[in-house]
Amino acid sequence: MALREQGFAEPGAVKGIEGIAVSRADNISVANYNNKSVWKAPVIASQATSNTQFADKEQIWADNAESSPFFGNVYVCYGKFIGGGAEPLIVATSRDGGS
């Protein structure tokens, strides 16, 4: 499998069958994690160029180590299913905390 890196996609509708979107929140607590107003609007992380493509098997990581030079980066890894053989793994990276 190939591994490719890209940035988060531009806002807008998902062009494929399904896609990957990420929402974030700051200062989550037991009392407010279920409150919709705490969460920011989702950002589409996957990119599709046709109606038959789809993204699946997503995983997400955030670098939360303040000592890291990559602190605040968010990474989403997913399989990009385009048909006809090997399906590449995509790593979408946000360098602005998921905005």
Side-chain angles (χ1 to χ4, degrees):
M1 283 192 221
L3 183 66
R4 291 189 274 184
E5 185 174 342
Q6 67 183 36
F8 279 23
E10 292 297 317
V14 174
K15 295 178 183 153
I17 297 168
E18 66 183 31
I20 308 298
V22 178
S23 183
R24 68 183 176 94
D26 295 323
N27 299 317
I28 295 292
S29 69
V30 173
N32 71 4
Y33 80 94
N34 228 6
N35 182 342
K36 290 182 183 181
S37 67
V38 172
W39 293 88
K40 299 195 183 299
V43 176
I44 298 172
S46 60
Q47 294 178 337
T49 55
S50 80
N51 290 336
T52 59
Q53 292 181 358
F54 67 97
D56 198 12
K57 310 297 184 216
E58 71 281 353
Q59 295 184 34
I60 185 169
W61 301 273
D63 187 341
N64 63 357
E66 290 185 29
S67 61
S68 170
F70 304 104
F71 176 70
N73 284 5
V74 177
Y75 306 95
V76 177
C77 180
Y78 62 90
K80 184 174 183 180
F81 291 84
I82 53 179
E87 311 302 343
L89 293 177
I90 304 296
V91 177
T93 305
S94 171
R95 303 201 193 293
D96 60 5
S99 293

